[in-house]
Amino acid sequence: MPDSVHIHLSSLSSTLQLAAELIARPSVTPEDAECQQLLAERLEVLGFKAEHMVFSDHHGTVNNIWLRRGDRSPLFVFAGHTDVVPSGPEHEWQFPPFEPTLHEGFLCGRGAADMKGSIAAFVTALERFIAEHPEHTGSIALLITSDEEGPSTCGTKKVIEVLAARREKIDWCLVGEPSSTTKVGDIIKNGRRGSLGATLTIQGIQGHVAYPQLAENPIHSFAPALQELIAVEWDKGNAFFPPTSFQVSNIQAGTGAGNMIPGVLNVRCNFRYSTEQTDTLLRTRFEQILDRHNLNYHIDWNLNGQPFLTAESELVAATVKAVKSVCGYQPELSTRGGTSDGRFIAPTGAQVIELGPCNSTIHKVDERIKAEDLDTLSTIYQQILENLLPTV
């Protein structure tokens, strides 16, 4: 591939052309910038029916699209998001973040890895697969949102609610999140930990530092409880998940004055938990510790997602087989990392995995992906389809 910063689309593979077209659209959460319409136009000629689903709440309006071909089971779904995180100061980028640039074998631009590259690979894999298997078994769909990088309240979660209400069941779902580390396909995420957040308010009594007997310092009151929370072994994990972890992310108290005891302490913390736990058990145990220390507190809980696991299954087997066939190496199954929209899909009973490009530059300045990796990824996706949905 030529070492050039100027992209001539006609000289690129179909996958890279589409990825470049998507990157050029500044679809910062929750904007879609008509990326989904571009996908619809590309797939409708293959027999996909496009259903645009628009939802709104106090965070804003979100565009989603459900593209389906066929009405038989089993149903295979590619899931992803057209929204990207903000670029930050553009002067810090080597090349403008929304001007797709080919440089030293890399496709550069915001969303290249997370996850417009994967979406392009979805589409081109489908184009080849359907050309070769127009009468494939089952059905294929894409679930694409513009709300994955944001609050995730009007995106995949809402689409899944609509599908469930009309009994449209997903059997297999591949989420195109950037799962790979050093080479494309080396890691397949076959599960994710649950995420439970807490905003904790501890009430004290404000006063002068010279008269502590007339005040109650909530920082001092909370310190022994925090020490106990940090020391707890919540579980030992299992063969698929590491032990549950507890982390404090923010602590705030005081007015800024050096001679005042604060009246209120605000703490934000998070559990990343395994299938050995439930959010109910964690809440109960957490509150029992606070109660033992006689704290005057209030908690707002936020369940970001339940843990899920797709262990031995047709989808895992088909994906491992595809990576070995295309890349020549055995992928590792992993549940490490944060959350994804798979957390909304797995509770329906679907088998869910995540497979996408290397994640070393996601959410960073100069986000990029090896150009050849996108073509490899598209081939892997096509092979998964062939493994699961052969011609009738």
Side-chain angles (χ1 to χ4, degrees):
M1 185 169 289
D3 179 8
S4 171
V5 298
H6 300 291
I7 287 186
H8 300 286
L9 292 181
S10 60
S11 67
L12 301 180
S13 70
S14 180
T15 305
L16 284 166
Q17 286 182 35
L18 180 54
E21 289 183 69
L22 291 169
I23 292 169
R25 299 171 185 239
S27 53
V28 177
T29 305
E31 296 299 322
D32 170 63
E34 297 190 351
C35 289
Q36 293 171 18
Q37 182 58 37
L38 175 62
L39 301 178
E41 292 169 0
R42 188 87 171 232
L43 291 173
E44 283 175 326
V45 298
L46 300 178
F48 283 83
K49 294 182 180 178
E51 183 177 359
H52 295 271
M53 300 186 187
V54 181
F55 303 107
S56 300
D57 66 5
H58 63 283
H59 296 293
T61 299
V62 172
N63 291 303
N64 307 281
I65 192 167
W66 174 248
L67 289 147
R68 178 165 179 165
R69 184 181 197 268
D71 54 13
R72 298 172 296 183
S73 63
L75 172 59
F76 178 95
V77 173
F78 283 120
H81 59 92
T82 50
D83 60 317
V84 298
V85 294
S87 65
E90 293 196 10
H91 70 269
E92 296 182 3
W93 287 66
Q94 184 178 5
F95 308 110
F98 297 108
E99 293 181 17
T101 303
L102 198 61
H103 181 65
E104 296 182 347
F106 285 84
L107 178 63
C108 310
R110 176 59 86 218
D114 189 13
M115 59 174 288
K116 291 180 174 180
S118 296
I119 291 175
F122 291 166
V123 172
T124 56
L126 285 168
E127 289 173 337
R128 294 191 307 274
F129 174 74
I130 291 170
E132 296 176 18
H133 304 277
E135 301 299 327
H136 59 80
T137 58
S139 303
I140 305 171
L142 278 80
L143 194 172
I144 307 295
T145 183
S146 62
D147 186 37
E148 197 275 345
E149 300 290 6
S152 299
T153 53
C154 288
T156 300
K157 180 180 180 181
K158 286 287 189 183
V159 175
I160 289 296
E161 290 174 1
V162 170
L163 298 179
R166 63 194 193 198
R167 299 183 179 179
E168 202 164 350
K169 183 182 182 301
I170 298 172
D171 296 283
W172 303 310
C173 180
L174 189 154
V175 185
E177 288 293 338
S179 64
S180 304
T181 53
T182 60
K183 51 188 178 182
V184 66
D186 61 354
I187 301 289
I188 298 169
K189 296 292 177 68
N190 67 323
R192 290 284 193 168
R193 293 177 295 174
S195 175
L196 175 65
T199 301
L200 172 65
T201 302
I202 303 204
Q203 192 67 46
I205 298 174
Q206 191 179 84
H208 197 293
V209 295
Y211 301 94
Q213 72 276 14
L214 301 179
E216 182 180 341
N217 193 322
I219 300 175
H220 294 188
S221 300
F222 180 57
L226 177 58
Q227 185 175 15
E228 184 174 346
L229 288 165
I230 293 170
V232 167
E233 181 182 70
W234 303 94
D235 57 58
K236 296 181 182 296
N238 56 37
F240 299 100
F241 290 92
T244 293
S245 70
F246 167 78
Q247 292 292 318
V248 172
S249 57
N250 289 273
I251 291 183
Q252 187 276 326
T255 63
N259 60 354
M260 290 181 67
I261 293 171
V264 177
L265 171 66
N266 295 303
V267 181
R268 294 188 68 181
C269 47
N270 182 269
F271 288 97
R272 292 300 166 105
Y273 64 102
S274 73
T275 49
E276 297 296 307
Q277 289 285 350
T278 68
D279 63 290
T280 300
L281 288 173
L282 289 172
R283 295 179 202 218
T284 298
R285 197 169 174 189
F286 184 88
E287 292 175 10
Q288 286 173 343
I289 291 172
L290 298 183
D291 290 339
R292 278 202 301 274
H293 291 272
N294 297 313
L295 297 173
N296 180 8
Y297 68 89
H298 173 77
I299 302 177
D300 290 319
W301 291 102
N302 180 28
L303 179 60
N304 299 303
Q306 299 281 9
F308 69 88
L309 177 69
T310 300
E312 298 297 325
S313 65
E314 304 100 328
L315 180 58
V316 169
T319 305
V320 169
K321 181 180 178 182
V323 172
K324 290 174 68 175
S325 173
V326 175
C327 301
Y329 44 78
Q330 177 79 24
E332 175 190 347
L333 299 179
S334 171
T335 62
R336 298 191 299 269
T339 59
S340 77
D341 275 3
R343 70 189 188 272
F344 302 124
I345 301 166
T348 68
Q351 297 174 25
V352 179
I353 60 118
E354 299 171 28
L355 175 60
C358 293
N359 55 27
S360 59
T361 65
I362 60 173
H363 291 212
K364 293 183 178 181
V365 168
D366 292 334
E367 181 179 349
R368 60 188 59 205
I369 182 176
K370 277 187 179 179
E372 63 183 8
D373 282 358
L374 280 190
D375 291 320
T376 301
L377 190 61
S378 180
T379 303
I380 294 171
Y381 290 160
Q382 179 186 355
Q383 188 61 58
I384 293 170
L385 291 168
E386 292 176 353
N387 292 342
L388 291 171
L389 300 174
T391 300
V392 177

